[in-house]
Amino acid sequence: MNLRRLLIATLLLLSAFAAMADCPRVPGEEDDRRANAGCLIVEDGRVLLLTHRWGGKLGVPGGTLEEGELAQCTAWRETAEETGLPVTVGGRLAVMSNGFHLYRCHLQQPVDTSEPVPVPRSGRTEVSAIGWYPLSSLSKDRWRFYYQFDQFVALAEQVMRSATAATASDASDGQPEK
């Protein structure tokens, strides 16, 4: 009888460990933290933001971790549920003042950032709209966690500068300018 219990416990633990890291992550940027988390997604100089059904304020896709879940997988799962967009989760950008872990996430397929993103069925309880926003259009009074607005904008600007630098580097293809 004890052997049977041990076998069941072992199988449950193995399946739990497999589920903890079952999300697409950027190789070399894996993180074993567990926390509430979300994604900062930047494309074409715009950030992907949700309008939350309660209060109508803007925020990044993300939310509460499930038992045993890695923070990167929380960011991935919540983004999938709230936006329907497949992403790969990169490195942690910051821990916000409320303990929320913000990760740099990358879309797995190209999107048209000039169009709103349809809210998937799985996100309709929490999300009323999804869109791509230039940072210049954002304001603290429309931000869900207004006390984190300045930190978010600074992080988004940093990501955009890095993306621009990487694009410029790719465009030059390592060749010196003449």
Side-chain angles (χ1 to χ4, degrees), residues 24-117:
R25 299 186 290 165
V26 173
E29 295 184 15
E30 293 91 351
D31 184 353
D32 64 354
R33 293 170 178 85
R34 287 172 175 68
N36 297 341
C39 284
L40 172 59
I41 303 169
V42 174
E43 287 291 321
D44 302 327
R46 297 169 182 248
V47 293
L48 181 74
L49 299 174
L50 312 174
T51 302
H52 291 268
R53 188 161 297 287
W54 304 289
K57 303 285 184 168
L58 294 173
V60 298
T64 306
L65 81 153
E66 292 183 351
E67 186 176 337
E69 188 175 51
L70 296 173
Q72 284 178 309
C73 294
T74 299
W76 172 79
R77 178 185 50 75
E78 287 283 344
T79 298
E81 289 172 4
E82 294 174 348
T83 70
L85 297 172
V87 298
T88 300
V89 183
R92 185 179 64 153
L93 296 169
V95 176
M96 306 306 268
S97 58
N98 64 354
F100 185 83
H101 289 231
L102 187 61
Y103 289 90
R104 172 68 167 110
C105 296
H106 309 274
L107 294 171
Q108 292 182 359
Q109 40 192 283
V111 297
D112 181 357
T113 60
S114 67
E115 296 291 325
V117 176

Side-chain angles (χ1 to χ4, degrees), residues 119-132:
V119 178
R121 181 179 309 250
S122 58
R124 291 183 187 154
T125 16
E126 296 178 63
V127 178
S128 61
I130 305 168
W132 294 95

Side-chain angles (χ1 to χ4, degrees), residues 111-172:
V111 297
D112 181 357
T113 60
S114 67
E115 296 291 325
V117 176
V119 178
R121 181 179 309 250
S122 58
R124 291 183 187 154
T125 16
E126 296 178 63
V127 178
S128 61
I130 305 168
W132 294 95
Y133 294 81
L135 290 178
S136 61
S137 73
L138 303 179
S139 63
K140 190 179 275 191
D141 63 321
R142 288 199 59 213
W143 199 249
R144 184 174 182 204
F145 296 102
Y146 68 91
Y147 53 89
Q148 295 176 346
F149 180 76
D150 295 330
Q151 184 181 10
F152 169 79
V153 169
L155 289 166
E157 287 173 341
Q158 176 186 352
V159 167
M160 287 180 184
R161 279 192 304 272
S162 295
T164 302
T167 302
S169 175
D170 290 345
S172 71

